Structure formats: structure tokens, C-alpha cells
Amino acid sequence: MSIKAFLNKQRVHWMSASGPESDVVITSRVRLARNLTGIPFPHLMDESAALTVMRSVERALAGGQGTIVEGLQLVPMSHLNPVERRMLVERHLISPEFAESGTELRGVAVDEQGALAIMVNEEDHLRIQCILSGLQLRQAYAWAEQADNALEQTLDYAFDEKRGYLTACPTNVGTGMRASVMLHLPATALTNQASPMFQSISQLGLTVRGMYGEGSEAAGRLYQISNQVTLGLSEEEIIANLGTVVAQIVEQERLLRSRLMQEARLQLEDKVLRAFGVLTHARMVSSAEALSLLSDVRLGIDLGIVPPAEAPTLNELMVAIGPAHLQQAAGRELGALERDLKRAEVIRSRLTGTR
Amino acid sequence: MSIKAFLNKQRVHWMSASGPESDVVITSRVRLARNLTGIPFPHLMDESAALTVMRSVERALAGGQGTIVEGLQLVPMSHLNPVERRMLVERHLISPEFAESGTELRGVAVDEQGALAIMVNEEDHLRIQCILSGLQLRQAYAWAEQADNALEQTLDYAFDEKRGYLTACPTNVGTGMRASVMLHLPATALTNQASPMFQSISQLGLTVRGMYGEGSEAAGRLYQISNQVTLGLSEEEIIANLGTVVAQIVEQERLLRSRLMQEARLQLEDKVLRAFGVLTHARMVSSAEALSLLSDVRLGIDLGIVPPAEAPTLNELMVAIGPAHLQQAAGRELGALERDLKRAEVIRSRLTGTR
């Protein structure tokens, strides 16, 4: 499948909402940072070195028959227009910085279901990522590792017996791995438990941040938790660690949800139904407001207050209201006001089922 | 028709929204203050004097065959429970102070369509009121005057050749008349023109106040304008005066509405549609919020942004969400939270047409 065809698909793997604990855990993501031996890190290398890396990865992918990377095509960023590059960001497949320039010196390969994505010449020569629905860090790691092994059959990674994988930024040295989960924590946020919880988490070598913007209550009440340390721990330990903490957060969020339902059911129903009413009627909606109201509706669906939408609808919608997806849907560039109008239209039609 | 049957009717005359300029003018109201000669004013009289007034008015009504007061029954306030008394207030037929006690020393007579209402032993022995839909002060005065004349055939009014009708409060001496209009001025309020406009109005011997609560923006953006002076002007002059000023306010409001539609159409549509979305979905709504959102919806109907409800719906709804009407609908007393719930339910069912 071409990358253009891929971008026309409305759904990538994680949006299916089919994974475990997907009432709270939206995604599990594992990425591995790898560099080729004998070539300067991206921020130090010249064009010819960059092209060498591109060709090496191309060859490695081509040699991956029978492995998880079979069929993956490395697409130079110059083949994608700015909207298409931003669409990949909005699907959480590449980083915002990586999407900024449309150079032929950088490339991306994505599998058909959008679970596996490989960035070439981002901060490191390779960033191998697997992102899945729900809480399945082990599975995400397993797939990323399979891709890593497949590529390693051809590529010669920079690796130090003592320090592990060598990376452009020292914080990644060691496993080169970052594991993260995106969590929807409306009850935790509504009961002002987010700050204290996150403070205790940060003492466990984990980092928490709002998915969209900083502040005590992140837009959409979506939070990303990831490991901070990559040196001195094995991949399995990092994942087990993170998995344990996330399981506790999930339990607490569920507890707080049911407590809210017991103690403030009417207020909660009111909040959810109003959000639904606004989203199905508003003529223009900003991104921050949309995320916040969608968070209310998602909570309402999880608690049975509003009838369940088709499971993946809200994940799809979260992506569909991004500026790039809106512009692709409109077939042209949109100004800020036009995006707010289009966003309202997209939400309205999806939530009321009149596509 | 008994007063109980009357209270079960959902609509009184002014709610029909059938009068002239009823896109801006909700009601026109004229009331005449009258007192019987030789009996102390209500705040000075004893029980027996009060009962004398009650009997005199009863007799006068009974003698009114062939006049506008034919068939009107004087109902002692002791025959009405507190909710029923408050319902008459919410329909703008009696004053809040008058509704406070359920004494046999006070009474009210209302005609079948709820246009004419006579309070006995309020601040004055008689308060004769006519309230009609839209801008029709002359008609309201004509009906009030007809009732006044009919009663005067039996009653002996306290009248002074030089000062005119004598009243308990000196501000009513003269014609004893107060004429007032209730206006819906959303565009005037939204464009911050209310304060300057009202300042200039007060220099013309007129009084402006928010219908519900004070403040720069009245709840529901409903304003009442009435004459301040009753002495030295004829009834016709007072009414002509007020009518001219109101006609100017109506013109300005319409101008501001069309300017809003030209200059901020999308924002206006968004505001109106969101209000509609919230009102058709909320689980609980306070009185102030309901009035404010209904104001948005009313504006939206007037401007063709939302499909027109059956014309009187919004006037009926404005009354139906009052605490007393909610309690009558529920068939029992309701606490504050219960009222907010019932209010949301009533609005939802009326606006979505599922009664």
C-alpha cells in the first residue's frame, strides 16, 4: 500500500480501541533508537552521509522478506506535502520535529495497519516505533524488537558492550528504548488527583506530561507516561516497571469513576450530556475545547451515560479533528477560523452518524 | 372558569406572541391604582375595613354584567395555596409581595384569557391591570379603563379634582397609572448598548430595570421600561410617550440584530446553536442559565438560525420554568436541585417536541 493510500484510511491500529484496559489506556508505544556504526549522528552528518543511511535502511527493508518488516517502503519526506507529514504526526506515527521539513534526507516507513513506523535520520539514524491499542506494552515491544532484529541482519548498529546502544542524546544510551502509554484520566483530573499522583510517579523514574499542552489539567485529560531511564535497566524491566505503575493508575481511575457515579451522578450526567449537546450543535469548535468535550463524552460512553458510539469513533475523531486531517478532509488549506468550522462539522457528522 | 382551572391552562393572553413587534416586545402592561373613599389605605386599615373593601369589589364585579368585568370572580388569597399564588406571579398577573400571604383579606380576580387582573388590598384597595402580547399599550389601557369604568359604576373612588386619584404611595397620585413594556433586547445587550441606552431613557422620565435581577446584563436579556411620573400628564400622554421611546428601542434592537448577522454571523449561529444543544441535552439547569440560553434560542428563531418553534413556545417556556410552575407540573414541592432537574426536563421536552 502506498503512503497516500495509507493516509486515506481513517483508522490506524491503535484507534481500534480493541486492546486491554482501553477504557483508560488509549495507546501503548515502544520506540527503539538505533544508529549505524561509522556514520556521524544526524545532527553532525552531511548530506551524503544522510543519503547513505537512507539507502542502507532501504536495503535492509528490502532484505526483510519473511520478517515483520516485509513490504515496508521507506518514503523520503520530500514525497509528502506538509499536510501529509502532519497527518502522520496526528496519528502518533512520527514526531512533530520530524514532520517539519520535506527533505529527501529523511524518510519514514509505516506498515499497513499503522502499528509499526520507522523514522530515518530523526534525532538518531533509526527510530523504530510500535504503537498499539490499550495496555499492551509487551506486545508493542515484541513487534519493535522483531523489526529491530530484522533490520540488524543487514545493518551494523553502533553498540558498546558496556553502555549498550549509542544514541545522539545521552539520555537514550543503553537500551535506546522509550516505552510510553497514553491514558485518558477524566475522573483523576476532575477530582484533582492528577498532580499528586504524577508527583509520586516522577519519583519512580517515570515522566508524565499532558498529551496536548501543559498545565494542571491537560487538554482532553490525556496524559502520557514514559520511562526516563534507559541505562542500567533491561528492556523487560523498563516495561514491567511501567506496566505495574500504569495498572495502578488504571485501577485508581476506575475507582474514582465509580465513586463519581455514586456521589455526583447527576452532575456527571449533566456534564456529559451537555458536552454531547454542544458537540452535536456547535458551529465552530477550537481544538482544545473539542478535546475537552470529547473527553466528557468518552467518559459518558465508558459509564453508560450516553449510548456507546461504535468503539473506535472517539479515537478516530480525536485524530480527525487535527489541523492536518481537517485540511485533508476539506481538500485545501484552511485558516484558523475555517478549521474551527470544519472541526465542528466533522464532529457533528460523526457523532450524529450522518456522514 | 374557576381559578384552579385557569391555573391549569398553559397559556395566558400575552404568551400568544401574537401582538405587534413581538419579535422584541414581549408584553405591554397598564395598571391603574384606585382606592375607595372613606376607607384607610391598606397599610393603615383594620381587618373589618379590608373585608369591607373585598365585599364592595365583589358587589361591583357582580354588577358588571354587559361590561368587560362580567364573569370575573374575586378569589380570596386564602383559597390559593402558596404554589398557586406564585404561579400568578410567574404569569405576571399579580405582584410578588401580594403573593406572599394567603389571607382572606386580599383577593384577586382574573379574566378567562389572563389579560385582565384585579388585585384587591395590595398597596392600594384596587390594582386593575391589563397585560397583552407585543406592543399594544393603547389597547391595554383601553381594557383597563373599561374595567375601571365598570367598577366605578358601583364603587366610590377617592379622587381629588386637583391631584387626581389618591393613592397609598405619593408616586402614584394623579392618573394612578403605570404603563410598562417587557422587552427582549439580546442584540442591544450583546453589543453593550444597554447601559448607555438606559441612561438616556431615564432622563425622559422613564424607568428601566432587568426583569430578573439587576446588573448590566439582565438575566434573559429581558428589560422592563415604565413611566415614573403619574402626576401632571394625562394617561394618553404617558402612553404616547412610552410608546414612542419603545418604538425607537425596537428599531435600534432590530438594526443591531441585522448588523450582528452581517458582521458576526458565524459567531451568532454558534452561540444560538450551542444554546439549543445545551437546552436539549442538559440534565439540570438553573433559572438564570435557562433564561440566558432561552434568550439565545429566541434570538436564533427571530433571525431564522434555528427553525421556528410554534410561536408561543418560548413565552410559555419562560413561565413554565418558574419554581411554582415546575412544582405544579411535578405535583409536589421541589428542593432547589430537584427544580433544576425538573426545569431541564421541561425545557428538553418542550424544545424537542416530546411532551
Side-chain angles (χ1 to χ4, degrees):
Chain A
M1 184 166 61
S2 78
I3 189 96
K4 308 264 177 186
F6 172 78
L7 288 171
N8 281 325
K9 283 188 12 174
Q10 283 196 347
R11 188 184 302 177
V12 300
H13 181 282
W14 66 265
M15 296 183 208
S16 66
S18 59
E21 333 294 359
S22 60
D23 57 330
V24 180
V25 186
I26 311 295
T27 64
S28 294
R29 198 169 69 92
V30 169
R31 71 110 175 97
L32 305 172
R34 299 290 184 257
N35 288 280
L36 303 189
T37 189
I39 301 181
F41 290 133
H43 64 286
L44 295 173
M45 74 189 175
D46 59 15
E47 290 200 5
S48 105
L51 288 171
T52 303
V53 176
M54 288 286 285
R55 298 221 186 85
S56 303
V57 176
E58 251 169 37
R59 266 198 311 276
L61 288 172
Q65 292 97 334
T67 75
I68 196 168
V69 301
E70 179 171 350
L72 262 65
Q73 300 284 332
L74 184 62
V75 180
M77 292 302 272
S78 53
H79 287 201
L80 298 172
N81 65 37
V83 166
E84 290 165 338
R85 300 198 300 268
R86 286 294 311 174
M87 287 178 74
L88 292 174
V89 176
E90 290 170 3
R91 293 174 181 207
H92 302 301
L93 297 176
I94 67 174
S95 63
E97 303 72 31
F98 192 68
E100 268 163 26
S101 89
T103 172
E104 58 180 342
L105 305 178
R106 292 173 156 189
V108 62
V110 182
D111 78 335
E112 228 171 278
Q113 58 181 335
L116 205 59
I118 301 168
M119 286 184 282
V120 175
N121 291 331
E122 208 245 21
E123 186 180 295
D124 295 290
H125 293 151
L126 284 103
R127 289 270 172 116
I128 302 165
Q129 171 189 286
C130 181
I131 183 168
L132 300 176
S133 163
L135 184 55
Q136 37 184 343
L137 284 165
R138 274 175 223 285
Q139 183 64 56
Y141 173 59
W143 287 7
E145 193 193 18
Q146 283 174 40
D148 185 40
N149 290 339
L151 293 171
E152 201 173 10
Q153 293 184 355
T154 309
L155 300 175
D156 192 6
Y157 287 153
F159 185 83
D160 178 281
E161 280 304 328
K162 198 166 153 211
R163 288 174 290 175
Y165 291 102
L166 302 180
T167 55
C169 178
T171 60
N172 289 316
V173 168
T175 59
M177 184 176 89
R178 172 127 318 159
S180 61
V181 290
M182 172 163 51
L183 300 166
H184 181 229
L185 302 176
T188 304
L190 287 171
T191 55
N192 300 316
Q193 298 300 307
S195 292
M197 193 177 77
F198 296 164
Q199 271 171 26
S200 60
I201 286 174
S202 65
Q203 291 163 1
L204 301 171
L206 300 174
T207 303
V208 188
R209 64 176 186 89
M211 279 302 292
Y212 302 95
E214 300 300 319
S216 61
E217 192 177 313
R221 303 183 201 105
L222 292 163
Y223 300 89
Q224 181 171 280
I225 303 185
S226 56
N227 66 308
Q228 210 160 14
V229 180
T230 59
L231 192 63
L233 291 173
S234 72
E235 287 84 348
E236 288 75 12
E237 284 168 330
I238 292 171
I239 281 173
N241 234 336
L242 181 58
T244 306
V245 171
V246 168
Q248 284 169 5
I249 297 173
V250 168
E251 278 321 297
Q252 181 179 333
E253 168 67 19
R254 286 183 184 147
L255 192 71
L256 290 169
R257 286 184 189 183
S258 65
R259 202 179 290 166
L260 273 180
M261 275 299 262
Q262 276 163 29
E263 292 170 12
R265 180 177 189 125
L266 293 172
Q267 287 77 3
L268 202 60
E269 288 181 356
D270 185 54
K271 188 175 174 60
V272 165
L273 292 168
R274 280 170 182 252
F276 191 81
V278 170
L279 287 176
T280 52
H281 286 81
R283 187 91 170 74
M284 54 180 89
V285 187
S286 73
S287 177
E289 188 191 11
L291 287 169
S292 170
L293 295 175
L294 283 172
S295 166
D296 292 340
V297 171
R298 188 190 286 269
L299 177 62
I301 292 174
D302 289 339
L303 294 176
I305 294 172
V306 284
E310 198 205 340
T313 299
L314 287 178
N315 284 344
E316 279 181 41
L317 207 40
M318 209 162 74
V319 169
I321 62 173
H325 279 79
L326 291 175
Q327 298 186 73
Q328 198 221 20
R332 62 185 181 87
E333 269 193 55
L334 300 175
L337 173 63
E338 289 176 311
R339 286 203 300 274
D340 286 355
L341 290 167
K342 185 72 183 170
R343 185 177 292 112
E345 179 194 319
V346 165
I347 294 173
R348 212 161 54 228
S349 66
R350 295 269 184 118
L351 285 186
T352 57
T354 57
R355 302 208 181 184
Chain B
M1 183 165 61
S2 77
I3 189 96
K4 309 263 176 185
F6 173 79
L7 288 170
N8 280 324
K9 283 187 12 171
Q10 282 195 348
R11 189 184 302 176
V12 300
H13 181 283
W14 68 264
M15 296 182 207
S16 66
S18 58
E21 332 295 359
S22 61
D23 56 329
V24 179
V25 186
I26 311 296
T27 63
S28 292
R29 197 168 69 93
V30 168
R31 71 111 173 97
L32 304 172
R34 298 290 183 257
N35 288 280
L36 304 189
T37 189
I39 300 179
F41 291 132
H43 64 287
L44 296 173
M45 73 188 176
D46 59 15
E47 291 200 6
S48 107
L51 288 172
T52 303
V53 175
M54 287 286 285
R55 297 217 189 89
S56 303
V57 176
E58 251 169 36
R59 268 197 310 277
L61 288 172
Q65 293 98 332
T67 75
I68 196 168
V69 301
E70 178 171 351
L72 261 68
Q73 300 283 333
L74 184 63
V75 180
M77 293 302 273
S78 52
H79 288 201
L80 298 171
N81 66 37
V83 166
E84 291 165 337
R85 300 198 302 266
R86 287 294 311 174
M87 286 177 75
L88 291 173
V89 176
E90 290 170 4
R91 292 173 182 208
H92 302 300
L93 297 176
I94 67 173
S95 64
E97 302 72 31
F98 192 66
E100 268 164 26
S101 88
T103 170
E104 56 179 344
L105 305 178
R106 292 173 156 189
V108 62
V110 183
D111 77 334
E112 228 173 277
Q113 57 182 336
L116 206 59
I118 300 170
M119 287 184 281
V120 174
N121 291 332
E122 207 242 22
E123 187 181 292
D124 296 291
H125 293 151
L126 284 103
R127 289 271 172 116
I128 302 165
Q129 172 189 285
C130 181
I131 183 168
L132 300 176
S133 162
L135 183 56
Q136 36 184 345
L137 284 166
R138 274 175 223 285
Q139 183 66 55
Y141 174 59
W143 287 8
E145 195 192 17
Q146 284 174 39
D148 185 38
N149 291 338
L151 294 172
E152 202 173 8
Q153 294 184 354
T154 309
L155 301 175
D156 191 8
Y157 286 153
F159 185 81
D160 179 280
E161 281 304 328
K162 197 168 153 208
R163 287 176 291 177
Y165 291 100
L166 302 179
T167 56
C169 178
T171 59
N172 289 316
V173 169
T175 59
M177 183 174 91
R178 173 127 316 159
S180 61
V181 290
M182 172 162 52
L183 300 166
H184 182 230
L185 302 177
T188 304
L190 286 171
T191 56
N192 300 316
Q193 298 299 306
S195 293
M197 194 177 75
F198 296 163
Q199 271 171 26
S200 59
I201 286 174
S202 66
Q203 291 163 0
L204 301 170
L206 300 174
T207 304
V208 188
R209 64 176 186 87
M211 279 301 292
Y212 302 95
E214 302 298 319
S216 62
E217 192 178 314
R221 302 181 203 106
L222 292 163
Y223 300 89
Q224 180 173 281
I225 303 185
S226 56
N227 65 307
Q228 210 160 12
V229 179
T230 60
L231 191 63
L233 289 174
S234 71
E235 286 85 347
E236 288 75 12
E237 284 169 331
I238 292 171
I239 280 172
N241 232 338
L242 180 58
T244 306
V245 171
V246 168
Q248 283 171 6
I249 297 173
V250 169
E251 278 321 298
Q252 182 179 331
E253 168 67 20
R254 286 185 184 145
L255 191 74
L256 290 169
R257 286 184 189 182
S258 66
R259 201 179 290 164
L260 273 179
M261 275 299 263
Q262 276 162 30
E263 291 171 12
R265 179 177 189 123
L266 293 172
Q267 288 76 4
L268 201 59
E269 288 180 355
D270 185 54
K271 187 174 176 61
V272 165
L273 292 168
R274 280 170 181 253
F276 191 81
V278 169
L279 287 176
T280 51
H281 286 80
R283 188 91 170 76
M284 54 180 90
V285 187
S286 74
S287 176
E289 188 192 12
L291 286 170
S292 170
L293 295 175
L294 283 173
S295 166
D296 293 338
V297 170
R298 188 190 285 268
L299 178 63
I301 291 174
D302 289 338
L303 294 176
I305 294 172
V306 285
E310 198 205 339
T313 300
L314 288 177
N315 284 344
E316 278 181 39
L317 207 40
M318 211 162 74
V319 170
I321 62 173
H325 279 79
L326 291 174
Q327 298 185 73
Q328 197 221 21
R332 62 184 181 88
E333 271 193 55
L334 300 174
L337 173 63
E338 289 176 313
R339 286 203 300 274
D340 286 354
L341 291 167
K342 185 72 183 170
R343 185 177 292 112
E345 180 194 318
V346 165
I347 294 173
R348 214 162 52 227
S349 67
R350 294 270 184 117
L351 285 186
T352 58
T354 56
R355 299 207 186 184

